[in-house]
C-alpha cells in the first residue's frame, strides 16, 4: 500500500502509526505535536473522530481501504463481538504474524519478507501477506533464507523482543506455532475498533 508523507499523516492522526515516526527525529522535529487551529481535536465531530480511528488502523496494519472494508463486512456476519473479529482478522494476517514474531522491525518489512518468499506456512512457501493463519499453524523462516542479509541483526533484536502470548516462538529454529487467537487487549491499545464500526455503519 502506497502512502503519502508519513510525518504529515502521523501528525494529522495524532498517533505514531509508522516506524519512521516512532523515532527521536520525529519528536525533535515537532511533528509529534497535535495540529492547532479552529477545529482542534477537542472540537472534532463524531464522524471526524471515527474517520481518524479508521485511518489509524489502516495505516498501522498497512492495508488498503478495500481490504479493510472487507474485514468489516466479514466481522459483522460472524458470531461474537465484531470489534474482536476485526482485530483477529488483522492480527492473524501472515505479514502481521511475521512482525509479531519479531522477524521484522515493521509490518512493511514483514510484508516484504512474505512477498519475496522468505517465509513458510506449514512448510509451504507462501507469498501472500494477507493469508490468514489459524490455531496450530506453523510459521517459519525458509531454510534457504536464514543466512540472507535481512536476518543479520535478528539475534540481537530478539534479545529484547517479547513475542505475544498467543504465539509460541522457538528462537533457535526461527519457528512459531499459533497457540490461540489474539484478543483486543493483546494488541494495539491506541485503536478504537468500536468507533471504526460506527464509522462503517454510516457509509
Amino acid at each position: 500500500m502506497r502512502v503519502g508523507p508519513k510525518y504529515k499523516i502521523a501528525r494529522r492522526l495524532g498517533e505514531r502509526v509508522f516506524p519512521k515516526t516512532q523515532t527521536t527525529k520525529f519528536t525533535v522535529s515537532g511533528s509529534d505535536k497535535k495540529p492547532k487551529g479552529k477545529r482542534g481535536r477537542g472540537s472534532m465531530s463524531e464522524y471526524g473522530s471515527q474517520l481518524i480511528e479508521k485511518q489509524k488502523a489502516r495505516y498501522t496494519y498497512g492495508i488498503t481501504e478495500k481490504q479493510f472494508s472487507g474485514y468489516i463486512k466479514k466481522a459483522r456476519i460472524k458470531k461474537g463481538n465484531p470489534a474482536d473479529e476485526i482485530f483477529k482478522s488483522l492480527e492473524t494476517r501472515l505479514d502481521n504474524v511475521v512482525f509479531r514474531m519479531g522477524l521484522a522491525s515493521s509490518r512493511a518489512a514483514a510484508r516484504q519478507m512474505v512477498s519475496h518468499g522468505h517465509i513458510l506456512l506449514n512448510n509451504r512457501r507462501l507469498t501472500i501477506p494477507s493469508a490468514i493463519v489459524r490455531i496450530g499453524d506453523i510459521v517459519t523462516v525458509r531454510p534457504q533464507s536464514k543466512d540472507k542479509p535481512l536476518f543479520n541483526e535478528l539475534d540481537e533484536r530478539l534479545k529484547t523482543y517479547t513475542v505475544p502470548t498467543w504465539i509460541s516462538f522457538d528462537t533457535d529454529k526461527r519457528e512459531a506455532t499459533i497457540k490461540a487467537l489474539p484478543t483486543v487487549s493483546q494488541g494495539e491499545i491506541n485503536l478504537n475498533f468500536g468507533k471504526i464500526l460506527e464509522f462503517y455503519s454510516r457509509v
Side-chain angles (χ1 to χ4, degrees), residues 47-177:
Y47 176 82
S49 176
Q50 294 164 1
L51 175 60
I52 288 288
E53 289 300 322
K54 187 261 289 189
Q55 295 294 69
K56 279 164 53 178
R58 272 194 57 221
Y59 286 123
T60 294
Y61 287 95
I63 59 177
T64 65
E65 175 60 36
K66 183 178 180 180
Q67 288 176 312
F68 197 74
S69 60
Y71 291 136
I72 299 294
K73 291 176 182 177
K74 290 179 182 178
R76 284 176 168 165
I77 62 176
K78 288 184 177 181
K79 294 180 180 179
N81 187 320
D84 286 338
E85 293 302 326
I86 298 168
F87 179 74
K88 288 175 185 177
S89 294
L90 294 171
E91 283 288 309
T92 54
R93 284 172 54 100
L94 181 56
D95 56 358
N96 185 74
V97 171
V98 170
F99 169 66
R100 292 299 191 195
M101 289 165 65
L103 298 182
S105 58
S106 68
R107 289 183 176 87
R111 191 153 45 251
Q112 190 174 53
M113 283 182 183
V114 176
S115 298
H116 290 181
H118 298 301
I119 302 299
L120 301 180
L121 176 60
N122 297 326
N123 293 318
R124 294 182 61 184
R125 192 178 185 184
L126 191 61
T127 58
I128 305 172
S130 61
I132 298 297
V133 301
R134 294 173 173 78
I135 295 176
D137 281 352
I138 297 174
V139 181
T140 187
V141 176
R142 184 168 172 255
Q144 299 90 324
S145 300
K146 289 183 178 180
D147 294 326
K148 296 286 185 181
L150 75 163
F151 295 112
N152 283 350
E153 300 178 1
L154 184 57
D155 286 330
E156 195 63 31
R157 182 164 63 245
L158 290 176
K159 288 179 181 179
T160 57
Y161 183 76
T162 302
V163 178
T165 56
W166 54 278
I167 297 175
S168 175
F169 184 55
D170 187 315
T171 305
D172 295 328
K173 292 182 179 180
R174 304 286 194 259
E175 180 180 287
T177 301

